[in-house]
């Protein structure tokens, strides 16, 4: 396997994991050109053999739904005991620090008694992904029903891992919108599906983890090293939330909507039988997920940025410390991505149950202030209409996104920079994350020499409404991917998230402004009485990175970003 620390020569699957990254091969490096040439040859071969590769048609999908009620489980009783009297509310705890977020998922798996439902865009075949699968396997061995639903885009070469995991009693694995052939390699998958591009580039971007239908974790993190400070090259700043109580059955129903859709396929329908017995498959799973180099993280030793203990301490003490509030959860229907165009229903910005519709609804209803984070920012016509509307109403608008140096999607930066000046003219306070400053601060974790990149998708509206989810503010989330998100109506959580975003702005970002000539400037705040530093070109980048971007800018249509 290529060395993931050699970022100039290798882009790891998790770094590709927000966009149709095949576009990156257009960048003019010799290795990328060789990759492109190889894919073109494979594409020609696939074209010549068109019709040989197709998804299986006679697929047995046994319907199943979330358990009816988890109130009689240990976790359910803890949630009921913590819930305040009166109207049923939902409980939340923000998880801004990666070690606390991974710890929460694993502890919930260890304490599950009836069911675990897991839905992710990416479960990587790395130390983090295998560690999660072992925790889920251990729960299944105790009799817990485990349903794992993964988007198929980045599962290349992982069929043996998922098939051996599915061989355990009480475990089911299904893949969303799978590739029918060439499954061992990312490139061969695309080559065999080159004539079916309009289908395979549409993905399930959701992230959801629910235990005993009573408590779970949702937010922006996938299950891969980069999301939990375990990658040697780059790691993400992200946000999840623990969620319990009244809204959890709604989240479970959203999971069921995907699990029982015709666009998911059991792993057994895609992977030919190997002739191994169930026992041999389970032994293979042990070999694949154990041995040197596997993950054995310890419980976080202190409190997190918000003063919360590791979840295990609260669970052991029998007292969940949560913020209780009213909440609403939404997910795009699977048909948004994969149904025939005539059957997809209303577009996402008009469908009342879609994530985008409700994000825009609450943003446009703001009265005073919006604070927003998104790693990929391409507002498009609808987003700019929202910004003009709220700014026209006197609402302050702050956005934190990635700089060119921080983004893992340099082509997406082309789409973003087309809007920067217009947003600044409308009075948007625009901040871009600085990898160097993130490396220097320890507030969000020990990044050391690894690059820090923003991945969190969130918004705070009028310091009273919080949005956390999987949706980027870009055309891909609007048009091609499915998303999930939650709105929490809590001034306390809004204050916490506003503070976290404030830390990012102060400790790890440049503020953008328009200079006297109208050109964009980047302001790096100084400490003490020193003057701020003003930069006049994309900070922390070299000439060639900027030149390549300028070369490609006229060639990249916004709808593909």
């Amino acid at each position: 396997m290529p060395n993931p620390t050699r970022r100039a020569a290798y882009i790891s699957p998790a770094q590709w994991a927000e966009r149709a990254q095949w576009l990156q091969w257009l960048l003019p490096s010799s290795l990328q050109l060789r990759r492109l040439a190889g894919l073109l040859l494979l594409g020609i071969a696939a074209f010549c053999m068109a019709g040989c590769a197709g998804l299986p048609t006679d697929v047995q999908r046994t319907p199943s739904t979330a358990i009816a009620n988890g109130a009689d489980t240990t976790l359910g009783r803890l949630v009921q005991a913590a819930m305040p009297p009166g109207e049923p509310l939902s409980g939340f705890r923000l998880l801004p620090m990666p070690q606390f977020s991974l710890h929460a998922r694993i502890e919930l798996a260890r304490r599950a008694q009836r069911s675990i439902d897991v839905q992710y865009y990416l479960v990587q075949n790395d130390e983090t992904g295998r560690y999660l699968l072992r925790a889920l396997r251990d729960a299944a061995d105790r009799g817990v029903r485990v349903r794992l639903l993964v988007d198929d885009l980045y599962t290349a070469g992982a069929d043996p891992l998922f098939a051996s995991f599915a061989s355990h009693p009480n475990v089911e694995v299904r893949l969303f919108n799978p590739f029918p052939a060439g499954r061992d390699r990312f490139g061969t998958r695309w080559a065999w599906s080159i004539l079916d591009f309009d289908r395979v580039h549409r993905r399930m971007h959701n992230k959801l983890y629910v235990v005993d239908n009573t408590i779970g974790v949702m937010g922006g993190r996938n299950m891969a090293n980069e999301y939990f400070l375990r990658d040697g090259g780059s790691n993400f700043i992200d946000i999840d939330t623990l969620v319990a109580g009244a809204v959890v059955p709604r989240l479970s129903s959203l999971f069921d909507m995907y699990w029982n859709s015709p666009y998911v396929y059991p792993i057994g329908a895609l992977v030919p039988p190997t002739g191994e017995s169930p026992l041999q498959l389970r032994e293979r799973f042990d070999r694949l997920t154990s041995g040197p180099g596997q993950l054995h993280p310890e419980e976080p030793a202190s409190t997190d940025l918000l003063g919360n203990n590791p979840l295990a301490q609260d669970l052991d003490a029998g007292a969940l410390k949560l913020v209780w509030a009213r909440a609403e959860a939404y997910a795009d229907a699977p048909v948004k991505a994969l149904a025939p165009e005539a059957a997809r229903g209303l577009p996402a910005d008009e469908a009342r149950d879609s994530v985008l519709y409700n994000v825009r609804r609450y943003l446009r209803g703001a009265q005073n202030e919006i604070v927003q984070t998104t790693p990929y920012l391409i507002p498009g016509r609808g987003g700019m209409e929202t910004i003009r509307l709220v700014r026209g109403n006197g609402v302050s608008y702050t956005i934190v996104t990635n700089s060119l140096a921080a983004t893992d999607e340099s082509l997406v930066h082309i789409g973003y920079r087309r809007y920067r000046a217009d947003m600044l003219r409308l009075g948007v306070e625009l901040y871009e994350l600085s990898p160097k400053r993130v490396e220097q601060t320890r507030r969000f974790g020990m990044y050391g020499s690894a690059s820090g990149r923003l991945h969190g998708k969130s918004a705070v509206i009028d310091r009273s409404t919080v949005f956390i989810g999987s949706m980027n503010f870009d055309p891909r989330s609007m048009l091609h991917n499915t998303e999930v998100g939650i709105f929490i109506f809590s001034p306390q959580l809004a204050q916490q998230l506003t503070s976290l975003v404030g830390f990012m702005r102060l400790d790890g970002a440049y503020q953008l402004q328009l200079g006297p000539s109208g050109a964009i400037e980047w302001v790096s705040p100084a400490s003490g009485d020193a003057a701020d530093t003003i930069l006049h070109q994309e900070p922390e980048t070299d000439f060639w990175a900027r030149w390549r971007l300028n070369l490609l800018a006229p060639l990249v249509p916004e709808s593909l970003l």
Side-chain angles (χ1 to χ4, degrees):
M1 180 175 177
N3 181 356
T5 64
R6 296 182 60 201
R7 286 174 288 168
Y10 173 67
I11 300 174
S12 74
Q15 287 175 303
W16 292 69
E18 292 292 341
R19 203 57 89 249
Q21 292 270 349
W22 59 277
L23 282 170
Q24 292 284 9
W25 295 323
L26 293 173
L27 293 173
S29 75
S30 60
L31 177 64
Q32 288 160 340
L33 289 173
R34 288 198 300 272
R35 285 175 173 170
L36 177 59
L39 280 179
L40 287 174
L41 290 174
L42 288 169
I44 293 171
F47 184 86
C48 293
M49 294 182 288
C52 294
L55 289 171
T57 55
D58 186 20
V59 177
Q60 299 298 315
R61 300 177 181 86
T62 303
S64 64
T65 57
I67 65 170
N69 186 3
D72 59 344
T73 63
T74 299
L75 291 171
R77 287 189 288 271
L78 283 173
V79 170
Q80 290 297 317
M83 187 181 298
E87 175 189 2
L89 297 173
S90 302
F92 298 92
R93 177 189 297 185
L94 298 183
L95 298 168
M97 301 185 71
Q99 61 270 41
F100 284 78
S101 186
L102 179 61
H103 169 79
R105 289 169 170 86
I106 299 303
E107 282 302 314
L108 291 178
R110 288 172 177 168
R111 297 163 194 261
Q113 291 180 302
R114 297 182 64 185
S115 69
I116 306 176
D117 292 333
V118 181
Q119 179 183 17
Y120 283 106
Y121 177 61
L122 174 65
V123 176
Q124 185 63 277
N125 186 8
D126 61 11
E127 293 85 355
T128 298
R130 293 190 292 269
Y131 181 62
L132 172 71
L133 293 180
R134 284 185 69 87
L136 297 176
R137 187 278 312 272
D138 293 345
D141 286 350
R142 300 194 310 269
V144 176
R145 185 190 69 178
V146 175
R147 298 188 293 175
L148 174 64
L149 175 57
V150 183
D151 185 89
D152 195 47
L153 184 58
Y154 295 106
T155 63
D159 283 349
L161 177 64
F162 288 121
S164 60
F165 176 57
S167 71
H168 290 84
N170 305 311
V171 173
E172 286 187 79
V173 177
R174 296 185 181 182
L175 301 176
F176 182 88
N177 193 22
F179 290 78
R183 294 188 54 79
D184 288 343
R185 295 181 181 275
F186 186 82
T188 55
R189 290 172 161 220
W190 283 98
W192 277 99
S193 299
I194 197 168
L195 300 182
D196 200 14
F197 178 80
D198 188 56
R199 176 182 68 83
V200 294
H201 87 103
R202 299 173 180 275
R203 310 311 316 179
M204 179 191 76
H205 197 233
N206 309 38
K207 290 101 175 172
L208 187 60
Y209 186 98
V210 180
V211 175
D212 289 343
N213 199 11
T214 192
I215 190 169
V217 179
M218 68 171 300
R221 289 185 176 96
N222 292 296
M223 297 307 301
N225 285 346
E226 289 89 333
Y227 299 88
F228 299 98
L229 278 182
R230 298 194 174 274
D231 184 79
S234 61
N235 291 282
F236 291 112
I237 295 175
D238 215 323
I239 185 71
D240 291 322
T241 182
L242 194 71
V243 54
V247 77
V248 174
R250 164 67 173 169
L251 295 174
S252 292
S253 71
L254 296 175
F255 176 93
D256 289 343
M257 176 174 65
Y258 281 81
W259 183 259
N260 295 307
S261 82
Y263 309 115
V264 303
Y265 289 71
I267 186 73
L270 301 165
V271 179
T274 61
E276 296 171 279
S277 68
L279 179 59
Q280 289 172 318
L281 288 169
R282 293 165 203 161
E283 290 173 347
R284 185 174 71 184
F285 179 81
D286 274 336
R287 291 194 302 272
L288 292 173
T289 60
S290 60
Q294 299 306 315
L295 192 62
H296 301 285
E298 298 179 355
E299 179 180 310
S302 60
T303 58
D304 67 9
L305 275 172
L306 300 172
N308 292 316
N309 293 321
L311 182 61
Q313 293 186 22
D314 282 3
L315 296 175
D316 289 341
L320 273 174
K321 298 177 182 177
L322 303 173
V323 176
W324 294 90
R326 187 173 62 86
E328 298 173 358
Y330 300 92
D332 300 330
V335 296
K336 169 194 172 184
L338 293 173
E341 188 170 355
R344 288 177 192 162
L346 293 172
D349 58 346
E350 298 179 27
R352 291 181 177 272
D353 283 334
S354 77
V355 181
L356 176 63
Y357 175 90
N358 287 284
V359 166
R360 285 191 179 170
R361 175 166 67 97
Y362 283 111
L363 290 178
R364 293 180 178 187
Q367 299 295 311
N368 300 299
E369 178 188 60
I370 296 171
V371 177
Q372 181 178 334
T373 69
T374 179
Y376 312 114
L377 175 59
I378 306 177
R381 184 178 63 183
M384 291 304 293
E385 287 176 357
T386 298
I387 292 172
R388 290 189 185 94
L389 174 66
V390 298
R391 288 294 299 133
N393 292 335
V395 176
S396 68
Y397 205 137
T398 300
I399 304 177
V400 181
T401 190
N402 278 315
S403 64
L404 176 57
T407 187
D408 60 332
E409 301 285 357
S410 55
L411 289 178
V412 174
H413 196 82
I414 292 172
Y416 157 61
R417 70 180 191 171
R418 294 168 182 165
Y419 292 94
R420 282 192 301 203
D422 287 341
M423 287 190 284
L424 291 171
R425 292 187 191 100
L426 288 170
V428 174
E429 292 187 28
L430 193 57
Y431 293 82
E432 293 182 358
L433 205 71
S434 159
K436 287 183 179 179
R437 298 187 67 201
V438 170
E439 291 167 17
Q440 294 167 358
T441 181
R442 298 185 177 184
R443 199 184 290 271
F444 287 92
M446 296 288 289
Y447 281 79
S449 60
S451 296
R453 292 171 168 169
L454 178 65
H455 193 261
K457 308 97 164 48
S458 71
V460 181
I461 302 161
D462 292 340
R463 295 190 177 245
S464 60
T465 300
V466 167
F467 167 76
I468 294 175
S470 68
M471 191 193 84
N472 296 305
F473 293 81
D474 66 356
R476 175 150 294 277
S477 286
M478 174 181 177
L479 299 173
H480 307 306
N481 291 347
T482 68
E483 309 289 354
V484 65
I486 195 165
F487 296 86
I488 309 163
F489 306 99
S490 166
Q492 184 176 348
L493 280 185
Q495 180 57 50
Q496 291 178 5
L497 186 53
T498 300
S499 296
L500 293 171
V501 177
F503 295 152
M504 266 191 281
R505 291 161 53 191
L506 293 173
D507 293 349
Y510 300 98
Q511 183 172 7
L512 276 63
Q513 65 182 25
L514 293 175
S517 67
I520 292 175
E521 300 175 340
W522 289 259
V523 180
S524 180
S527 57
D529 297 329
D532 294 343
T533 301
I534 298 178
L535 306 174
H536 299 279
Q537 60 186 13
E538 306 275 358
E540 302 175 41
T541 62
D542 59 27
F543 168 80
W544 293 109
R546 298 188 296 272
W547 178 84
R548 287 196 297 266
L549 214 62
N550 290 332
L551 179 70
L552 290 169
L555 307 176
V556 181
E558 187 172 297
S559 61
L560 286 179
L561 297 176

